[in-house]
Amino acid sequence: MRKPIVVVGSINLDLVVGADRIPQVGETIIGNSFNTFYGGKGANQAVAAAKLGYPVSMVGNVGNDAFGTQLRDGLENAGVDTTYVNTVEGASGVALITTGRRGENNIVVVPGANGQLTPKLLEKAATILERAGFLLAQLEIPLETVDYLAQFAERHDIPLMLDPAPARELPTALLRRLTWITPNETETLELLKTNFENGDQGSYAAAERLLDCGVKNVLLKLGSRGCLIAQGTLVKERIPAFSVDAVDTTAAGDAFNAGFAVGLMRGSTVVRSAIFASAVAAISVTRPGAQPSMPTGNEVDRFLEQHSITTAQEPSYTRQAR
Ligand code: ATP
Ligand code: RIB
């Protein structure tokens, strides 16, 4: 039997305003649309992996409000096991999102119930955590819980991929326990507190610094520029993004992480898994919303066929010795 992917993270209701552009500080503009979508970085990753056809369990919290029931139902309808989703006193997590015409966004998250996902609740989920083939986490839950998870992963020799979002500094002890870290450009700056030059050279330098911090494998997410992989084994690769018309990039990173984890769990190479992840993310940006934008496995296969990428060939990309 396949070991499940277990996602430990946030579950939010996204309140999304579509506007021509993101307003500036102090500015009022007229929006074009308002929608609610199921979101939360953790739940998005869980739903994306489940829609790709991989067994997924979610460990997280919803509040005992009306949103909580809807959010749990949303996860279950997508095929995510919610046995370890707790209902706690108080409001569910929400995210206030504005999207602009070119797919860009800004987001304010109010964690609510996600802030009550304590290490104690992870202890209660030990049975599923121990069975995990891959653990995925993000930073919309308390840092002490992520730290507990990293120690658990190390003790049980289970790979852990951390999406360090929203951006913040992290203790070196935590970084050393990660199998993969997958920051975007803002998160990389925040982690390293250093500005790097624009373009590939700056990204390579940033990835190298993260390896120096003790993370085993680094995957930098570079938006429409694609992604860059750096591993302790002296390999660095940049994989371009697919060219698509983006309407909403919310949760592109979540789609990517889920696709990457599913690829690796299915035994694909790192590069092939990153190409698969890029396809999952590219499809997601062509659709509005977080969880509704996640593609099925068949949709990704069709997309890859249309872009002349078959499973037989391993495309070659820039590869540099460190
Ligand atoms: P988010 O916070 O919006 O969920 P992120 O900032 O964590 O995303 P990004 O680097 O923006 O992550 O995007 C993740 C991946 O999604 C990229 O590496 C790329 O493969 C894909 N992607 C993002 N934007 C686009 C785009 N406009 N066109 C095609 N692919 C994209
Ligand atoms: O990564 C996108 C997600 O960030 C949104 O769904 C929102 O809930 C915030 O958590």
Side-chain angles (χ1 to χ4, degrees):
M1 211 172 78
R2 289 183 294 179
K3 287 184 170 188
I5 289 174
V6 178
V7 182
V8 178
S10 57
I11 306 168
N12 293 337
L13 188 74
D14 291 353
L15 310 174
V16 185
V17 168
D20 286 348
R21 60 183 174 79
I22 310 288
Q24 290 170 9
V25 176
E27 189 187 19
T28 302
I29 61 172
I30 301 291
N32 306 321
S33 62
F34 173 75
N35 285 292
T36 56
F37 297 110
Y38 298 145
K41 294 185 194 303
N44 295 343
Q45 294 184 12
V47 164
K51 284 179 81 173
L52 293 170
Y54 206 84
V56 189
S57 290
M58 174 90 209
V59 179
N61 283 353
V62 292
N64 61 351
D65 52 5
F67 292 166
T69 316
Q70 292 170 29
L71 290 164
R72 179 189 292 277
D73 289 350
L75 285 165
E76 281 169 10
N77 291 339
V80 176
D81 166 34
T82 61
T83 310
Y84 295 94
V85 172
N86 314 290
T87 301
V88 299
E89 185 69 33
S92 297
V94 290
L96 307 181
I97 303 181
T98 308
T99 59
R101 280 230 183 270
R102 281 171 290 118
E104 73 278 24
N105 65 53
N106 67 12
I107 304 181
V108 178
V109 172
V110 183
N114 300 301
Q116 297 182 53
L117 187 68
T118 55
K120 263 224 140 9
L121 287 176
L122 291 205
E123 275 172 30
K124 288 192 183 158
T127 316
I128 191 66
L129 294 176
E130 278 166 14
R131 285 187 44 225
F134 209 157
L135 291 164
L136 310 190
Q138 319 74 29
L139 296 176
E140 289 182 337
I141 57 172
L143 188 60
E144 60 166 341
T145 306
V146 177
D147 205 40
Y148 176 93
L149 182 70
Q151 292 183 40
F152 184 98
E154 185 178 56
R155 255 194 331 274
H156 291 83
D157 200 18
I158 303 170
L160 168 62
M161 178 157 72
L162 178 68
D163 192 3
R168 58 168 295 165
E169 241 179 311
L170 291 174
T172 311
L174 171 59
L175 293 173
R176 289 211 177 104
R177 294 195 168 100
L178 304 177
T179 317
W180 283 96
I181 193 162
T182 62
N184 68 13
E185 287 169 298
T186 326
E187 291 143 14
T188 305
L189 284 184
E190 194 61 35
L191 282 169
L192 297 171
K193 292 277 177 226
T194 313
N195 279 312
F196 293 92
E197 64 182 90
N198 288 334
D200 282 356
Q201 286 318 314
S203 304
Y204 286 138
E208 221 159 288
R209 278 280 304 283
L210 284 167
L211 288 180
D212 291 344
C213 291
V215 186
K216 293 172 201 74
N217 304 285
V218 176
L219 192 147
L220 296 190
K221 290 182 281 190
L222 306 170
S224 55
R225 284 176 55 222
C227 70
L228 183 147
I229 298 164
Q231 299 184 272
T233 51
L234 315 180
V235 180
K236 291 190 288 190
E237 316 235 10
R238 192 162 80 67
I239 295 172
F242 290 97
S243 176
V244 291
D245 289 328
V247 300
D248 180 1
T249 61
T250 310
D254 301 328
F256 188 101
N257 279 42
F260 190 56
V262 167
L264 292 177
M265 286 304 290
R266 287 183 175 150
S268 291
T269 63
V270 167
V271 170
R272 287 225 69 88
S273 300
I275 294 167
F276 182 74
S278 304
V280 177
I283 298 172
S284 82
V285 304
T286 63
R287 301 170 176 173
Q291 289 170 30
S293 72
M294 302 302 175
T296 62
N298 285 341
E299 286 171 331
V300 181
D301 290 346
R302 267 203 307 279
F303 181 92
L304 287 168
E305 269 167 35
Q306 281 160 10
H307 290 77
S308 312
I309 296 188
T310 67
T311 44
Q313 69 194 109
E314 172 102 6
S316 60
Y317 290 97
T318 321
R319 196 182 257 261
Q320 295 188 354
R322 287 180 74 213

